[in-house]
Amino acid sequence: MSYFLQNALIVLRQLIMLYLIVAVGVLAERMKWFPENVAKRCAQLLMYVVAPCIIIRSFLVMEYSPEILRNLGIALLGGLLLHGLGIAISWHAFRGKKNPDTDPILHYGSIYGNNGYMGLPLAQAMVGDIGVFYVSIVVLTFSMFAFTHGMFVMSGAAVRNPQAGDRNQGIARFEWKKLLFNAATLAVLVGFPLFLFRVPVPELVRWPIDTIARMNTPLAMLMFGTFLSRTRFNSMLRNKKVLLTGLIKLFITPSIVLTALLALRADRTLVHALMIPAAAPSANNTVVFAALHDRDAGYAAQVVSLISLVSIITMPTMIALALSLAG
């Protein structure tokens, strides 16, 4: 068996285990035990409580070394490159589109990946604590872009349709508070000094953080199952714009990021960790942002669900390719 195929099977095995939890979420939604409105409430819990605990925990368990610090710098560059590339590619791909209800969703979904809900659990399962450590930096860059540029896109500023009336006239303003004071940024601001200065944290504090952090994988996957439950895949597969969104998010952008990591001669563990968010499907908060800006949230859920389903094939392929090339 080839080295590439071995890597692909390892990644696929981890994804299958996670998607078994997703299947339970689908069943729970169909049985009305865990309906979509409850899942949306859980999304807030994940974003504002669980994800910050994961990031802080990753700094607490990691031992300081110059090599780790260097890799953190590369992870930061990787996160900036990932989102910067996504913005540039999607701007060209969706320039001139006219539908104010759906085009901002596709634009956003082609850039912003499921780094927190899927990236962090996969990093923990595949790479361990050091993987979560590196992916946390990518989550930080995600938050920086998503709460500024992402809100600008979803507001409809990138889609101009004179016949749409006032509905797409409200353009989101750049707010420094959202750039500096969001859950991921604050978690890094807490965790990074503890790592850098090797501050001892008592078990009384570490245990609650660790326990809450462990909620992320099962809760995120169950929640995702509720969104997947009602997706009409046949109609979405015939939509060329949705297919273009998936192509950009799952193949074009991660391929360029991989090329850059190889050019920087990043070590194998770092390449493995960073390719997880790079190859991740569209972010779950595409749905939340769509609802907040009066876009078609149901359409957003279907787009995210379809691209996430396709990622079962593309993520193992891209990650296995990265591991094979990184040696």
Side-chain angles (χ1 to χ4, degrees):
M1 186 183 297
S2 70
Y3 186 53
F4 172 83
L5 186 57
Q6 286 179 341
N7 288 328
L9 289 175
I10 291 170
V11 178
L12 182 60
R13 180 176 178 272
Q14 295 291 345
L15 280 172
I16 288 173
M17 288 192 292
L18 289 176
Y19 270 85
L20 286 174
I21 304 176
V22 172
V24 175
V26 171
L27 177 64
E29 197 280 336
R30 291 293 176 89
M31 299 297 292
K32 307 298 182 184
W33 298 333
F34 191 48
E36 189 173 324
N37 63 324
V38 176
K40 288 180 179 179
R41 295 279 184 174
C42 290
Q44 294 178 320
L45 182 68
L46 283 167
M47 182 181 295
Y48 296 115
V49 179
V50 180
C53 285
I54 293 173
I55 294 171
I56 293 171
R57 178 184 178 276
S58 70
F59 283 103
L60 295 180
V61 301
M62 199 56 51
E63 292 186 12
Y64 174 87
S65 74
E67 182 183 1
I68 293 291
L69 195 60
R70 172 183 173 274
N71 284 347
L72 269 184
I74 296 176
L76 179 61
L77 287 174
L80 294 172
L81 176 65
L82 172 64
H83 295 98
L85 274 173
I87 289 169
I89 294 168
S90 65
W91 184 82
H92 286 284
F94 295 100
R95 183 176 54 179
K97 306 304 184 196
K98 302 297 182 183
N99 191 322
D101 282 326
T102 59
D103 287 332
I105 292 167
L106 298 172
H107 193 168
Y108 186 96
S110 67
I111 301 168
Y112 298 102
N114 204 350
N115 300 333
Y117 304 152
M118 183 174 285
L120 288 172
L122 277 174
Q124 182 68 60
M126 295 180 189
V127 194
D129 289 330
I130 194 167
V132 175
F133 191 56
Y134 295 142
V135 173
S136 296
I137 301 302
V138 180
V139 173
L140 169 64
T141 61
F142 169 91
S143 297
M144 291 170 59
F145 282 97
F147 285 95
T148 50
H149 171 268
M151 295 191 75
F152 176 81
V153 167
M154 198 65 83
S155 72
V159 178
R160 301 300 177 88
N161 184 355
Q163 298 178 346
D166 293 331
R167 199 170 167 193
N168 63 328
Q169 298 304 311
I171 297 175
R173 284 190 255 173
F174 184 87
E175 297 184 38
W176 284 104
K177 288 183 179 180
K178 289 177 180 176
L179 176 62
L180 299 175
F181 299 104
N182 58 72
T185 305
L186 292 174
V188 172
L189 289 176
V190 171
F192 184 69
L194 298 177
F195 159 76
L196 188 62
F197 298 110
R198 300 167 230 184
V199 178
V201 177
E203 185 66 18
L204 183 68
V205 176
R206 293 173 66 107
W207 186 87
I209 293 173
D210 182 66
T211 302
I212 294 172
R214 292 179 189 277
M215 295 170 58
N216 187 63
T217 300
L219 188 56
M221 295 298 105
L222 286 170
M223 185 191 73
F224 178 64
T226 66
F227 293 118
L228 197 65
S229 176
R230 300 297 177 182
T231 301
R232 297 186 297 272
F233 291 111
N234 288 337
S235 61
M236 299 302 287
L237 284 170
R238 294 193 295 268
N239 189 319
K240 292 181 180 179
K241 289 182 182 180
V242 176
L243 296 178
L244 175 61
T245 301
L247 182 66
I248 294 170
K249 186 68 201 72
L250 299 177
F251 180 73
I252 295 176
T253 303
S255 295
I256 300 173
V257 171
L258 173 57
T259 302
L261 289 173
L262 295 175
L264 289 170
R265 297 184 179 180
D267 67 51
R268 192 171 186 272
T269 300
L270 182 59
V271 170
H272 190 178
L274 294 187
M275 280 307 295
I276 292 171
S282 301
N284 283 358
N285 77 350
T286 304
V287 182
V288 178
F289 275 30
L292 287 174
H293 290 90
D294 198 26
R295 307 300 161 197
D296 190 339
Y299 180 84
Q302 292 181 51
V303 170
V304 171
S305 297
L306 177 62
I307 293 175
S308 298
L309 191 64
V310 174
S311 74
I312 296 176
I313 298 172
T314 60
M315 281 192 78
T317 303
M318 293 303 301
I319 295 171
L321 177 64
L323 291 175
S324 299
L325 293 176

